[in-house]
């Protein structure tokens, strides 16, 4: 309002400056005209002032509304922030719940998988046990309790060799194999013919088409089984009557690539026969010197089963099987005493704790071979050129539960 008054005064002064002096003034009509123009101008200024006031009032109202709305926006923003924070917390909590549920699901799946594997393992073990029981189902329940006596049957100049009778049937023939590498088998009519050089008839000389390796040969059901010289793991089944190779097989698992007994430096595979049939004892790489026991089907030369035993080849000199149980003979430095300190039963019916101290009569050197004859129930051994028979003391095993 003060500005409007100052503007009106300024206009009056301006117009007064251009008006002529009173002596030059014109008629009253001009004065009246100018006065009217001033009134119109004043009215325009009043309208402008009113409009300005209205605009100011509107702006104040607008500002007030904007302030209220900004306050509400701040309130809403705080509420939204709080809601978003709460939502984030709920999402995080939900994610933890989901992770926990996923962990439980995976844990359940792992437990189910482990339970399934365990169940399958138990089934396999049960099947394996049944298979072993079926495999070793011969009516044989004896276990070794002692070496009763020693009988030297014959003396030769040969340090290494093997001798035996067929463990099956009633044949009295005795077979004599000299050396650790040879292809000549001497067949004696009976034990007396072997013991007495002058006994008639004399031995029959059998020349094999292949040479053997080591002293692990056996006679079973009229066939000679031996490790073929020049091969690491080939077993030959030889027909002594036809003098031909009946069949052959390769022992798996690195057999024949390591000595089976430390104190028998020429034997890499030792064959054995007991009441359950034909076996192979061997070692190989990757099993830390442990002996492996393999059951062989003599008709087809198929491998029926194999076990890695706790018995080791270190300080061992020979081994044999009796009623499906492996007995390993050890000696210190290849000299006496000779004793059995490791026993392995695939069926788990006996262990070393069940046995007394099993010592052999003292001999000056280690045995070249020790084989059990299931028909005679005694051991045939070769020691420093002496062919020896060991009579055994046995007892019944505890029944298998």
């Amino acid at each position: 309002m003060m500005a409007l008054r100052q503007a009106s005064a300024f206009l009056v002064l301006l117009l007064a400056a251009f008006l002529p002096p009173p002596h030059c003034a014109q008629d009253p009509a001009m004065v009246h005209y100018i006065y009217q123009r001033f009134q119109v101008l004043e009215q325009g200024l009043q309208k402008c002032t009113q409009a300005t006031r209205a605009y100011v009032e509107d702006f104040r109202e607008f500002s007030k509304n904007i302030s209220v709305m900004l306050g509400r926006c701040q309130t809403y923003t705080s509420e939204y922030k709080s809601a978003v924070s709460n939502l984030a917390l709920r999402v995080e909590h939900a994610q933890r719940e989901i992770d926990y549920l996923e962990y439980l699901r995976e844990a359940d799946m792992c437990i189910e998988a482990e339970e399934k594997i365990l169940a399958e393992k138990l089934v396999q073990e049960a099947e394996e046990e049944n298979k072993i029981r079926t495999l070793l189902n011969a009516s044989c329940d004896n276990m070794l309790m002692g070496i009763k006596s020693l009988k030297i049957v014959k003396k030769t100049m040969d340090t290494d060799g093997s001798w035996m009778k067929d463990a099956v049937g009633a044949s009295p023939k005795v077979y004599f194999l000299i050396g650790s590498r040879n292809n000549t088998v001497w067949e004696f009519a009976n034990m007396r013919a072997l013991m007495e050089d002058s006994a008639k008839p004399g031995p029959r000389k059998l020349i094999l088409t292949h040479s053997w390796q080591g002293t692990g040969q056996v006679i079973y059901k009229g066939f000679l089984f031996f490790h073929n010289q020049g091969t690491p793991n080939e077993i030959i089944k030889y027909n002594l009557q036809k003098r031909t190779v009946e069949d052959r097989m390769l022992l798996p698992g690195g057999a024949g690539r390591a000595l089976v007994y430390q104190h028998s430096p020429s034997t890499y595979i030792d064959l054995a026969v007991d009441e359950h049939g034909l076996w192979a004892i061997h070692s190989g790489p990757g099993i830390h010197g442990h002996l492996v026991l393999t059951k062989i089907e003599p008709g087809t030369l198929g491998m029926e089963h194999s076990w890695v035993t706790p018995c080791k080849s270190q300080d061992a000199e020979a081994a044999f099987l009796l009623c499906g149980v492996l007995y390993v003979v050890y000696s210190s430095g290849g000299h006496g005493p000779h004793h059995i300190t490791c026993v392995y039963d695939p069926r788990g019916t006996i262990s070393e704790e069940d046995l007394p101290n099993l010592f052999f009569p003292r001999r000056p050197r280690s045995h070249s071979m020790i084989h059990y004859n299931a028909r005679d129930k005694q051991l045939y051994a070769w020691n420093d050129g002496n062919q020896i028979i060991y009579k055994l003391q046995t007892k019944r095993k505890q029944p298998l539960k």
Side-chain angles (χ1 to χ4, degrees):
M1 191 65 182
M2 181 63 69
L4 184 59
R5 288 179 179 176
Q6 289 176 356
S8 299
F10 175 75
L11 288 174
V12 171
L13 291 175
L14 180 65
L15 291 174
F18 289 97
L19 289 177
H23 61 273
C24 295
Q26 298 181 5
D27 55 11
M30 179 61 71
V31 174
H32 179 71
Y33 172 77
I34 292 172
Y35 179 75
Q36 288 181 340
R37 297 304 298 172
F38 272 113
Q39 285 182 338
V40 171
L41 182 60
E42 186 175 2
Q43 290 174 358
L45 290 173
Q46 288 177 355
K47 290 180 180 180
C48 182
T49 300
Q50 291 174 357
T52 302
R53 287 176 177 176
Y55 292 150
V56 170
E57 290 298 327
D58 291 341
F59 182 77
R60 286 177 178 175
E61 187 67 23
F62 176 75
S63 298
K64 182 179 179 181
N65 293 335
I66 291 297
S67 298
V68 172
M69 293 177 68
L70 287 175
R72 291 178 180 176
C73 286
Q74 290 179 354
T75 303
Y76 293 153
T77 302
S78 300
E79 292 177 355
Y80 291 153
K81 286 184 178 179
S82 178
V84 170
S85 298
N86 292 334
L87 181 60
L89 291 174
R90 293 176 66 183
V91 169
E92 184 179 357
H93 180 72
Q95 186 62 46
R96 287 199 298 266
E97 292 289 336
I98 292 172
D99 293 341
Y100 179 67
L101 292 175
E102 184 68 19
Y103 167 76
L104 292 179
R105 187 180 69 84
E106 293 179 355
D108 290 340
M109 291 177 62
C110 291
I111 292 173
E112 291 177 359
E114 290 177 357
E115 289 177 349
K116 183 178 179 181
I117 293 173
L118 180 60
E120 292 176 351
K121 183 178 180 181
L122 292 176
V123 170
Q124 290 176 355
E125 289 178 352
E127 292 177 350
E128 187 77 9
E129 185 176 353
N130 290 333
K131 181 180 178 181
I132 293 173
R133 290 190 180 189
T134 302
L135 186 65
L136 307 179
N137 62 353
S139 57
C140 179
D141 57 358
N142 290 330
M143 58 185 292
L144 183 63
M145 294 302 296
I147 311 299
K148 290 175 59 177
S149 62
L150 171 151
K151 179 181 179 181
I152 298 177
V153 175
K154 190 177 181 66
K155 293 184 179 181
T156 66
M157 299 298 295
D158 303 289
T159 304
D160 298 320
S162 61
W163 70 294
M164 67 213 71
K165 292 169 66 176
D166 196 333
V168 178
S171 173
K173 294 179 180 179
V174 180
Y175 297 90
F176 208 75
L177 291 77
I178 300 174
S180 59
R181 293 176 178 83
N182 204 339
N183 68 337
T184 302
V185 178
W186 297 95
E187 180 186 271
F188 292 85
N190 49 45
M191 189 67 71
R192 180 180 177 183
L194 172 68
M195 296 173 64
E196 300 176 3
D197 294 335
S198 59
K200 300 295 182 180
R204 185 164 71 114
K205 184 178 182 181
L206 306 176
I207 305 297
L208 308 180
T209 57
H210 295 71
S211 296
W212 65 75
Q213 166 72 42
T215 57
Q217 305 82 26
V218 295
I219 302 287
Y220 187 67
K221 294 184 178 181
F223 294 95
L224 173 66
F225 295 84
F226 61 92
H227 178 198
N228 187 19
Q229 182 184 356
T231 67
N233 59 343
E234 185 178 57
I235 305 300
I236 287 182
K237 177 182 179 181
Y238 195 87
N239 191 320
L240 292 175
Q241 298 303 318
K242 297 179 181 180
R243 301 191 185 186
T244 57
V245 174
E246 189 79 10
D247 202 352
R248 61 184 73 203
M249 72 171 293
L250 297 177
L251 281 175
R257 300 186 184 277
L259 286 173
V260 63
Y261 311 121
Q262 180 183 356
H263 298 311
S264 185
S266 61
T267 302
Y268 290 83
I269 298 174
D270 189 16
L271 300 173
V273 173
D274 71 348
E275 292 82 355
H276 296 289
L278 181 64
W279 304 79
I281 308 165
H282 54 92
S283 187
I287 54 176
H288 309 291
H290 287 271
L291 299 182
V292 178
L293 180 63
T294 299
K295 183 73 175 63
I296 300 174
E297 207 292 311
T300 62
L301 286 189
M303 189 184 76
E304 295 182 296
H305 207 284
S306 189
W307 299 265
V308 177
T309 75
C311 305
K312 290 195 172 185
S313 60
Q314 183 178 0
D315 286 332
E317 61 180 63
F320 59 92
L321 281 111
L322 188 155
C323 288
V325 179
L326 176 68
Y327 298 86
V328 184
V329 182
Y330 292 88
S331 61
S332 178
H335 305 286
H338 313 280
H339 52 97
I340 297 171
T341 56
C342 188
V343 176
Y344 178 71
D345 182 4
R347 297 184 63 186
T349 56
I350 64 172
S351 62
E352 290 115 349
E353 290 77 12
D354 302 321
L355 301 175
N357 294 327
L358 297 174
F359 285 90
F360 284 80
R362 188 175 183 88
R363 303 297 302 166
R365 296 188 60 181
S366 63
H367 293 84
S368 174
M369 56 80 66
I370 300 177
H371 283 169
Y372 172 71
N373 187 286
R375 180 158 55 106
D376 296 344
K377 308 296 182 186
Q378 54 191 11
L379 299 178
Y380 288 69
W382 189 299
N383 181 281
D384 195 25
N386 297 298
Q387 289 71 56
I388 301 171
I389 290 178
Y390 292 109
K391 294 188 178 297
L392 306 177
Q393 178 183 357
T394 61
K395 76 170 187 176
R396 291 175 62 90
K397 296 180 186 177
Q398 295 295 328
L400 185 64
K401 296 181 181 180

